[in-house]
Amino acid sequence: MNPAASAPRRARVRAPELIGKGGWLNTGDTSYTLADLRGRIVILDFWTFCCINCLHVLDELRELEEKHRDTVVIIGVHSPKFVHEAEHQAVVDAVERYEVHHPVLDDPELATWKQYAVRAWPTLVVIDPEGYIVAQHAGEGHAHAIARLVEELEAEHAAKGTLRRGDGPYVAPAPVATDLRFPGKALVLPSGNVLVSDSTRHQLVELAADGESVVRRIGNGERGFGPDAFSEPQGLALLPDGRVVVADTVNHALRVFDPATGAVETVAGTGRQWWQGSPTAGPAREVDLSSPWDVAWWRGRVWIAMAGVHQLWTWDPETDTVAVAAGTTNEGLVDGPAAEAWFAQPSGLAAAGDRLWIADSETSALRWVEPVAGEPDGYAIRTAVGSGLFDFGHRDGAADQALLQHPLGVTVLPDGSVAVCDTYNHALRRYDPATGEVSTLATDLREPSDAVLVGEDILVVESARHRLTRLRLPEEAVRVESVAHRTQRAATEVAPGTLRLDVVFRAPTGQKLDDRYGPSTRLQVSSTPPELLAEGAGQGTDLFRDLVLAEGVGEGVLHVSAMAASCDDDPENEYPACHMHQQDWGVPIRVADGGAVRLPLVLAGLDD
């Protein structure tokens, strides 16, 4: 089989039932089966709320969801990676936080994930009105293909009499009145007041020095990109001139807010999401960005935690340019020269002297950037706490053994140590570079995402409690029971020796792989540990590869990154519309006699 074949085929595979121990959200307490949805086109969105790619897909689907509301039912199947994400209330919070306007099935035990043989977040599965699976897509960039498929299915099943139009099962939850709603980051202004990114309400909120009284709101509260609008803003950083840089996350832009005048302007980004092949440097307002999550002023520039592409970028106000500063776009934990480092959703930044501290959320890591002596623009990446994508928990002690769980914020303390908002552990942790020890400062915080110093106190953004909480920095650490976790995902058993890797990609109807300017596909493979692969690591242009597993290494994780570009198949069109499809997989494997000799990963289409 050619994994990249583009000929349309429809396999008649009956969709498995939807099962989730956590029950249904956004349905008015009504549970649904696939039989209840017969006659509608059902799109299952397998997601987890820690995953930036999943959040991108939520935004990609909004237009399709509105346009086809009477024929399409989107169901989010929440499939957790982290232990915290298996908590039902955390899923309830995430559904509100990210404005999910369709039913969500809470599947903490990954029962439906396993039934559909899903291997990656996010994955979209399309089910036709008769209850058969007709397409599967992993990763981002598939909204145009699904929209075209939906139109085909509407026409086909309207003609057959099997399409049922009408209102869907979505029931909006009742709104809740609070001053803040899932705030993200905070900043102390020169006035002593506190500026907070009120992310779910698409605003900035200025609070009095007490951290409670509302002074004013900036932004109209509606999702948008105008001079009076934001879209899920997060990070805040003070510029030397007293203005504030805002990471306007879902607008994929940097904005600047002037506290003196109240004016807001765009200084970087176009409002469009960056894709592979787009420029990585240039005039600030002409280069696309991707989900900037935090910002910090360091060494004469604004550093950007570009969570959407697992990189650090910079904006230079003097030259009015942006550029990649660190990271390859590969997701993982690799230290070394900045250009070769791997990150995984960097989400928090804090500058102190010769170090820029980073909360690298998906690797549950605390890392830092430091200048390289003798190289004016040379930087290196180091890791203080954390070992990779699949190990996390709550463990204090020596940093090389300590564990965090999806931290989002970092704050430098007066003694030079670093406070870490250990978000999914609901804790404030501390790393001391002098001793190499990790301790716990406070517990019973609800998804802390940032913290700022106010005198001898620290104000913690308790995002899921919709407030700032003032703590006195303790002199002694809190003792907590050590807990270590690995992701719940079961390892795939594979046979020793050669493993055939097939990335399945079928171009959408009316499109083809575009080879006019060279190969239109790319495949990169690596492993943890690196010794797992005797042969097959590296980059190539075919979407298939024979991997040779090393003897004596019994288990590990295959990291697979695939990309395919498809364009309209119309020879008369000199400038066809093109679309990028991409996904990163981390596939835990275990070597066992009798295991699989082929590993199929579906980028788009069906493996049949």
Side-chain angles (χ1 to χ4, degrees), residues 23-27 47 74-78 91 95 100 102-106:
W24 290 81
L25 306 177
N26 283 356
T27 63
W47 71 299
I74 296 176
I75 295 175
V77 182
H78 189 268
V91 181
V95 167
V100 180
H102 51 250
V104 172
L105 176 64
D106 181 11

Side-chain angles (χ1 to χ4, degrees), residues 369-383:
V369 188
E370 63 183 16
V372 176
E375 298 181 25
D377 294 316
Y379 293 94
I381 310 302
R382 307 286 182 237
T383 297

Side-chain angles (χ1 to χ4, degrees), residues 188 192 209 413-414 452-459 470-473:
V188 178
L413 300 179
V452 292
L453 293 171
V454 180
E456 295 183 355
D457 297 335
I458 188 166
L459 271 181
R470 186 181 297 267
L471 302 175
R472 180 59 54 90
L473 282 172

Side-chain angles (χ1 to χ4, degrees), residues 110-167:
L110 303 180
T112 297
W113 166 287
K114 294 170 185 173
Q115 288 286 335
Y116 281 80
V118 175
R119 294 185 184 275
W121 297 278
T123 291
L124 299 169
V125 176
V126 182
I127 302 171
D128 74 10
E130 294 179 285
Y132 290 94
I133 297 173
V134 292
Q136 182 171 327
H137 302 265
E140 303 177 48
H142 302 293
H144 70 285
I146 292 176
R148 180 168 291 191
L149 177 57
V150 164
E151 292 172 356
E152 292 175 4
L153 291 172
E154 285 177 339
E156 176 186 337
H157 288 274
K160 291 175 65 175
T162 50
L163 183 70
R164 177 167 57 90
R165 295 180 180 271
D167 294 334

Side-chain angles (χ1 to χ4, degrees), residues 310 362 428 454:
H310 318 299
E362 278 293 286
L428 189 67
V454 180

Side-chain angles (χ1 to χ4, degrees), residues 30-384:
T30 300
S31 297
Y32 286 90
T33 66
L34 285 176
D36 298 327
L37 303 172
R38 197 76 81 237
R40 311 299 290 273
I41 300 164
V42 177
I43 300 173
L44 303 182
D45 176 13
F46 289 87
W47 71 299
T48 188
F49 62 77
C50 73
C51 162
I52 192 67
N53 310 92
C54 300
L55 304 186
H56 289 167
V57 168
L58 285 175
D59 290 317
E60 287 179 6
L61 294 176
R62 293 187 197 278
E63 182 179 349
L64 181 147
E65 186 170 25
E66 184 59 36
K67 183 178 180 181
H68 299 275
R69 189 168 291 280
D70 67 334
T71 60
V72 170
V73 175
I74 296 176
I75 295 175
V77 182
H78 189 268
S79 312
K81 171 187 173 181
F82 290 99
V83 170
H84 169 58
E85 293 175 303
E87 297 176 15
H88 182 70
Q89 185 57 47
V91 181
V92 173
D93 289 343
V95 167
E96 181 188 352
R97 181 195 296 267
Y98 297 116
E99 296 183 311
V100 180
H101 292 163
H102 51 250
V104 172
L105 176 64
D106 181 11
D107 182 17
E109 298 176 344
L110 303 180
T112 297
W113 166 287
K114 294 170 185 173
Q115 288 286 335
Y116 281 80
V118 175
R119 294 185 184 275
W121 297 278
T123 291
L124 299 169
V125 176
V126 182
I127 302 171
D128 74 10
E130 294 179 285
Y132 290 94
I133 297 173
V134 292
Q136 182 171 327
H137 302 265
E140 303 177 48
H142 302 293
H144 70 285
I146 292 176
R148 180 168 291 191
L149 177 57
V150 164
E151 292 172 356
E152 292 175 4
L153 291 172
E154 285 177 339
E156 176 186 337
H157 288 274
K160 291 175 65 175
T162 50
L163 183 70
R164 177 167 57 90
R165 295 180 180 271
D167 294 334
Y170 171 67
V171 177
V176 182
T178 53
D179 286 336
L180 302 173
R181 204 71 191 160
F182 298 105
K185 304 288 186 181
L187 172 73
V188 178
L189 295 169
S191 66
N193 286 352
V194 181
L195 189 66
V196 183
S197 55
D198 197 16
S199 302
T200 298
R201 294 222 175 103
H202 314 296
Q203 291 180 317
L204 309 180
V205 177
E206 184 177 344
L207 303 175
D210 61 8
E212 298 180 11
S213 307
V214 175
V215 175
R216 60 173 163 169
R217 297 181 181 273
I218 300 96
N220 59 23
E222 298 293 329
R223 185 190 297 271
F225 195 32
D228 192 31
F230 299 92
S231 188
E232 298 182 31
Q234 287 284 344
L236 307 168
L238 196 64
L239 292 171
D241 63 8
R243 297 183 301 159
V244 177
V245 180
V246 183
D248 197 2
T249 304
V250 179
N251 276 328
H252 309 294
L254 297 189
R255 319 291 291 282
V256 165
F257 163 63
D258 188 339
T261 65
V264 175
E265 64 173 316
T266 300
V267 295
T270 63
R272 298 183 302 270
Q273 183 183 340
W274 186 93
W275 287 95
Q276 290 285 353
S278 300
T280 56
R285 286 176 295 281
E286 298 176 15
V287 177
D288 299 338
L289 308 181
S290 183
S291 298
W293 206 275
D294 203 7
V295 282
W297 178 259
W298 188 56
R299 296 176 68 85
R301 289 178 288 174
V302 171
W303 288 67
I304 310 163
M306 203 72 78
V309 285
H310 318 299
Q311 290 181 312
L312 302 181
W313 287 44
T314 60
W315 168 54
D316 186 337
E318 285 196 13
T319 61
D320 200 19
T321 56
V322 293
V324 173
T328 65
T329 76
N330 292 313
E331 185 178 16
L333 194 156
V334 176
D335 287 341
E340 301 171 14
W342 291 23
F343 298 95
Q345 288 178 217
S347 301
L349 299 174
D354 285 338
R355 288 188 178 184
L356 177 68
W357 294 96
I358 309 160
D360 201 28
S361 61
E362 278 293 286
T363 53
S364 298
L366 172 65
R367 307 174 72 184
W368 78 86
V369 188
E370 63 183 16
V372 176
E375 298 181 25
D377 294 316
Y379 293 94
I381 310 302
R382 307 286 182 237
T383 297

